[in-house]
Amino acid sequence: MKQFFTAYGSGLEKDSSGAVSKRLNDSHTTQICFFLLFARPLIKARHFKTITQLFGLFMQIVEVDPKEKSYYEANPNMRVSLERQFRKICVQDKLRLRGRGRPRNN
């Protein structure tokens, strides 16, 4: 138990939480994974019909920061790249939003 508190104290002295927070903001993969982790109850409740809807919510959260919003508005190709990465992670996670079967008629 003493080792735990020693490690905790060392982390506080070195401002490890600040470094982790900065790294989290820099990594899109980490942001996507945390988003999918926290959105899991909504996903399991079938709140989203498509990955596009899920990505839309993710972008709403990302674009709360005005700098991020202006960045993606100025660089639409980066938004496409982020969506591609989002879809790839969803596929790797074997995320299923709809059951198999015949598609709905709209």
Side-chain angles (χ1 to χ4, degrees):
M1 191 68 157
K2 182 181 175 185
Q3 293 173 341
F4 171 77
F5 288 114
T6 304
Y8 180 72
S10 175
L12 288 176
E13 288 175 1
K14 295 178 183 177
D15 190 31
S16 296
S17 62
V20 168
S21 177
K22 184 176 185 298
R23 180 67 183 133
L24 177 61
N25 288 336
D26 292 343
S27 173
H28 289 152
T29 302
T30 308
Q31 289 176 351
I32 293 167
C33 290
F34 271 116
F35 171 77
L36 291 175
L37 179 71
F38 290 116
R40 187 64 61 181
L42 293 173
I43 293 168
K44 292 286 184 187
R46 301 204 180 271
H47 183 73
F48 304 99
K49 293 180 182 175
T50 64
I51 290 180
T52 303
Q53 286 180 335
L54 190 60
F55 179 71
L57 178 62
F58 174 73
M59 286 308 295
Q60 285 178 353
I61 294 169
V62 168
E63 291 178 342
V64 165
D65 181 7
K67 288 190 284 185
E68 290 287 324
K69 185 173 184 171
S70 63
Y71 175 77
Y72 285 112
E73 286 174 353
N75 301 302
N77 57 338
M78 290 306 294
R79 183 184 177 104
V80 170
S81 175
L82 183 61
E83 184 173 4
R84 199 175 309 122
Q85 183 179 8
F86 187 90
R87 289 179 182 281
K88 181 179 178 185
I89 290 171
C90 288
V91 167
Q92 289 173 344
D93 191 31
K94 297 179 182 167
L95 181 66
R96 301 283 183 246
L97 299 178
R98 263 192 204 179
R100 292 183 169 256
R102 189 174 181 163
R104 294 182 182 178
N105 291 333
N106 290 335

